[in-house]
Amino acid sequence: MAILRNNSRQFGVLASVGALSLFIFAAAFSFGQTKNSCVDCHSALPAPEGVTQQMFSQDIHAQKGLTCVSCHGGDASSDDPTQAMNVKAGWKGKIDRKQVPQLCGSCHSNPAYMRQYDPSLHTDQLSQYHTSIHGKRLAAGDAKVAVCTDCHGVHNLRAPSDPRSKVNPVNVATTCAHCHADAAYMKGYGIPTNQLAQYNTSVHHEDLVARGDLSAPTCTTCHGNHGAVPPGVDKVQNVCATCHVFQAQMYDKSSHKAAFESASLPGCVVCHSNHAITHPTDAKLGTGPEGVCMQCHSRGDNCDQARAEMLNELTQLNQAIKNADQALAEADAAGMEVSEARMAQSQARDALTKARVAIHSFNKVLVDQDVQAGLKVANKDLQVGRQAMVERNRRRAGLGVSLLAIGMVLAGLWLYIRKIES
Ligand code: HEC
Ligand code: HEC
Ligand code: HEC
Ligand code: HEC
Ligand code: HEC
Ligand code: HEC
Ligand code: HEC
Ligand code: HEC
Ligand code: HEC
């Protein structure tokens, strides 16, 4: 222990000395680097040439000590534009859209270089990008697709963890929609431009934006960021399954899986859609407008009968839980002690949740198991609630009889006193 403590003290001293020299070094370094004629001159220029110090200081690259020259080349020590922006000094001029991935990749695909800054940072963005529809089309000469700067921005580019970053989870959808929701821009590709509009109605968007739950998916969670391709039909389940594990396990064992695969149907998406996924209710199992089963099954066939039975079971359990809740609430309001049964109700609710997951087996026996377990609890709780009210009524009646008896005694006494007085 003594050695350990001694060591940690030594380490503390060393760390302070290290931090101090690092500070002096950094200060000296930044003084030595003060001359940046590019930003001095460009700060005063109008758009699009205007790049101010204030804007660039927000950029992760500036914060890590990189300068204009790191990307554009040139001689930042000269105030003479013909010197500063001279191809002989390595000046590259404006980076053409088609050259952007190559430029960014020149550092970001170099593990030895990137390791000096952050060893945990991936260095596969460019190679991934080449596999995406964006990358493939760019390679084929289509400059309208997304390049690195369309998603990340430029000159005030921030780390994805920064809430102001264009690729922070809460901003991704708008970033993609900049092109994908622009019908004029996307004209000619023959793909829909409603992804954002639909996604904005989804339970995923609501969970992410309204509730701030970063575990809910945005565009890139399902499509990938650098390897952006739509998940192929056979891959969709895998995407949904990374989060909805139990439904996927049930679905995988169901006869729907093989049947859908052989018909090239996109699994979960058949019943839930891809972008406009909403909170499902039991009506999804029904035959009304929200129902999803009748698009393939016909009224009265075996599958339809199984569907009707499963729906009936869910409805029954749902109603049983409501009845028990009501009876217990009444008893509670009447001052009866039913807290144990009220707690037990959560087991019935859990059973209902499990039964709704078990729907994905499309096997009425499995659904029945969960429903029966829930019914047992809910019906018992209903009895507890009703029993409590019977007990309360009995006590009330008892109280009434006692009050009557007391009243009669008092009346007798009064009569007796009057009799004595007279
Ligand atoms: C004294 C002012 C001045 C200095 C110093 C200067 N620039 Fe410029 N720069 C300009 C002006 C003005 C333009 C726009 C007119 C033009 O294209 O020549 C420009 C254009 C550019 C462009 C866009 C070129 C294009 O084709 O649209 C880039 C990129 C650029 N500068 C980068 C730099 C870098 C990097 C440095 C430092 C090494 C630098 N500039 C230094 C004034 C300056
Ligand atoms: C991380 C790399 C990077 C750094 C650092 C960087 N730029 Fe750029 N710059 C680019 C790219 C890429 C483009 C092309 C823009 C696009 O694709 O939208 C560009 C475009 C420009 C343009 C042309 C704008 C236009 O639309 O005509 C100017 C001017 C410019 N940069 C100046 C600067 C100045 C000045 C600095 C330093 C303050 C700087 N850049 C730092 C990557 C960089
Ligand atoms: C001259 C080398 C260089 C070039 C060129 C370059 N970067 Fe960087 N980039 C870096 C360094 C160094 C960091 C800081 C890494 C760290 O410590 O987080 C960085 C950080 C980033 C980050 C934040 C990573 C994180 O999570 O912290 C993003 C995003 C990024 N760069 C995107 C780009 C894009 C897009 C381009 C092209 C327009 C580009 N970079 C060009 C060197 C470069
Ligand atoms: C279609 C949009 C899109 C394009 C194009 C794109 N990125 Fe990204 N990038 C993202 C998103 C979204 C994230 C955030 C990832 C996350 O948080 O999981 C990201 C993250 C990053 C990071 C942080 C480290 C990491 O891998 O998570 C770097 C560095 C980066 N991108 C560099 C690049 C470079 C270099 C290019 C061009 C070759 C590029 N990006 C093209 C959307 C894009
Ligand atoms: C600069 C505009 C632009 C931005 C920003 C952009 N895209 Fe794209 N994207 C395109 C274009 C153009 C295509 C080509 C359409 C095609 O080939 O069907 C495309 C194709 C795609 C495809 C393949 C569609 C198909 O089935 O053909 C997907 C998936 C995709 N983008 C997702 C995204 C995601 C996710 C984001 C945001 C992280 C994003 N895109 C950002 C322009 C953009
Ligand atoms: C929950 C997962 C998920 C989310 C979130 C998601 N997508 Fe998709 N997306 C899919 C699936 C699944 C497909 C269809 C794939 C297929 O049928 O091959 C698809 C298809 C696409 C296509 C191809 C054209 C089309 O509409 O069929 C584009 C482009 C696209 N999505 C962009 C986006 C954008 C932009 C966002 C964010 C606003 C987004 N997606 C959010 C799963 C998702
Ligand atoms: C990155 C994780 C993730 C992915 C991928 C994902 N989801 Fe979700 N999903 C969530 C979260 C988080 C919620 C909201 C919390 C909840 O209600 O479970 C949610 C909610 C839902 C709901 C509503 C649940 C309810 O009780 O209201 C459905 C249905 C759904 N997702 C289906 C899908 C489908 C289908 C896919 C694939 C196309 C998918 N999800 C992909 C995380 C994910
Ligand atoms: C054949 C249609 C169908 C398919 C395929 C399907 N579901 Fe469902 N899903 C439903 C129905 C019906 C409900 C509503 C159950 C209820 O509330 O009564 C539901 C409910 C859900 C819920 C809400 C939570 C719950 O369990 O009540 C989630 C999450 C979900 N499904 C995810 C998935 C995922 C992930 C897949 C793919 C692995 C999938 N579903 C495939 C029909 C389907
Ligand atoms: C896209 C078409 C499609 C949809 C939608 C669909 N099914 Fe099916 N279903 C099939 C096919 C195909 C089979 C397998 C062949 C068969 O048995 O008819 C099947 C089989 C079944 C089976 C028999 C399972 C077994 O193991 O014997 C049941 C039960 C069933 N479906 C119920 C449902 C319910 C409930 C829904 C709605 C939530 C639904 N299906 C939605 C196409 C569909």
Side-chain angles (χ1 to χ4, degrees):
M1 267 315 279
I3 295 170
L4 238 177
R5 216 177 293 131
N6 203 18
N7 270 353
S8 73
R9 199 179 299 139
Q10 274 178 1
F11 177 74
V13 172
L14 269 178
S16 337
V17 171
L20 193 70
S21 43
L22 208 80
F23 175 75
I24 293 169
F25 175 75
F29 188 70
S30 62
F31 273 113
Q33 287 286 303
T34 319
K35 183 73 192 160
N36 184 346
S37 65
C38 324
V39 80
D40 290 347
C41 188
H42 275 268
S43 287
L45 295 181
E49 271 84 25
V51 182
T52 63
Q53 176 61 38
Q54 195 203 9
M55 179 189 194
F56 189 56
S57 65
Q58 311 281 312
D59 193 297
I60 176 95
H61 297 110
Q63 285 164 3
K64 297 285 170 167
L66 303 188
T67 64
C68 319
V69 172
S70 311
C71 289
H72 291 286
D75 179 3
S77 67
S78 169
D79 285 321
D80 176 358
T82 56
Q83 263 318 109
M85 299 186 288
N86 196 318
V87 276
K88 287 208 191 104
W91 193 66
K92 300 178 204 160
K94 186 185 168 183
I95 318 293
D96 184 67
R97 277 179 73 74
K98 287 184 189 153
Q99 303 304 321
V100 168
Q102 222 49 54
L103 167 73
C104 311
S106 66
C107 296
H108 282 280
S109 301
N110 183 343
Y113 172 82
M114 290 310 296
R115 209 179 298 131
Q116 313 168 78
Y117 293 91
D118 182 354
S120 70
L121 212 60
H122 294 217
T123 47
D124 61 350
Q125 295 89 10
L126 182 60
S127 57
Q128 286 270 324
Y129 177 76
H130 287 319
T131 69
S132 74
I133 301 241
H134 295 143
K136 284 182 186 160
R137 283 195 162 269
L138 186 76
D142 180 354
K144 283 174 82 180
V145 294
V147 299
C148 317
T149 43
D150 291 312
C151 293
H152 288 283
V154 66
H155 302 144
N156 60 355
L157 194 158
R158 301 161 201 269
S161 54
D162 186 326
R164 289 164 301 177
S165 162
K166 284 170 64 122
V167 295
N168 183 270
V170 296
N171 302 329
V172 162
T174 342
T175 300
C176 309
H178 186 71
C179 299
H180 281 282
D182 183 339
Y185 189 83
M186 296 303 290
K187 198 167 165 244
Y189 291 106
I191 59 170
T193 48
N194 61 358
Q195 296 91 6
L196 180 73
Q198 293 205 331
Y199 174 74
N200 280 348
T201 67
S202 77
V203 53
H204 289 147
H205 172 265
E206 186 195 323
D207 203 50
L208 180 73
V209 173
R211 268 176 269 155
D213 177 3
L214 295 185
S215 68
T218 178
C219 319
T220 44
T221 323
C222 293
H223 290 287
N225 37 39
H226 302 117
V229 282
V233 161
D234 52 329
K235 304 276 164 43
V236 179
Q237 262 117 261
N238 301 345
V239 176
C240 313
T242 53
C243 302
H244 300 288
V245 180
F246 298 120
Q247 285 86 358
Q249 277 171 356
M250 291 280 181
Y251 175 79
D252 281 350
K253 285 189 227 138
S254 79
S255 53
H256 276 154
K257 185 181 160 88
F260 284 18
E261 262 173 22
S262 66
S264 293
L265 291 170
C268 321
V269 170
V270 171
C271 299
H272 291 287
S273 89
N274 50 10
H275 298 127
I277 296 172
T278 52
H279 170 66
T281 64
D282 294 345
K284 220 175 170 65
L285 269 175
T287 51
E290 285 172 56
V292 288
C293 314
M294 305 318 279
Q295 48 178 309
C296 302
H297 297 296
S298 340
R299 220 45 206 269
D301 69 10
N302 282 345
C303 300
D304 180 46
Q305 278 172 23
R307 175 202 64 75
E309 278 172 49
M310 291 188 286
L311 175 59
N312 185 31
E313 291 229 315
L314 292 179
T315 314
Q316 226 182 316
L317 177 54
N318 202 8
Q319 194 55 50
I321 291 173
K322 276 192 192 142
N323 292 345
D325 275 344
Q326 200 185 345
L328 291 171
E330 264 171 38
D332 192 49
M336 303 302 289
E337 167 54 36
V338 289
S339 56
E340 206 174 302
R342 292 192 103 182
M343 300 258 282
Q345 277 293 85
S346 68
Q347 290 171 27
R349 269 187 268 279
D350 285 349
L352 181 58
T353 306
K354 276 172 81 181
R356 285 180 176 145
V357 174
I359 289 293
H360 296 89
S361 67
F362 306 99
N363 179 340
K364 61 184 181 189
V365 180
L366 292 182
V367 175
D368 185 56
Q369 272 171 12
D370 291 325
V371 167
Q372 292 309 327
L375 280 177
K376 213 168 129 190
V377 178
N379 287 337
K380 194 173 146 215
D381 293 341
L382 177 67
Q383 286 315 313
V384 171
R386 285 189 177 154
Q387 203 54 51
M389 289 310 282
V390 170
E391 171 68 17
R392 203 238 4 206
N393 290 344
R394 202 169 54 78
R395 283 193 205 160
R396 249 192 202 169
L399 187 68
V401 170
S402 329
L403 284 176
L404 197 70
I406 292 170
M408 280 163 69
V409 168
L410 285 177
L413 267 177
W414 184 71
L415 282 175
Y416 183 66
I417 290 167
R418 279 196 49 177
K419 199 172 166 201
I420 292 176
E421 277 174 357
S422 66

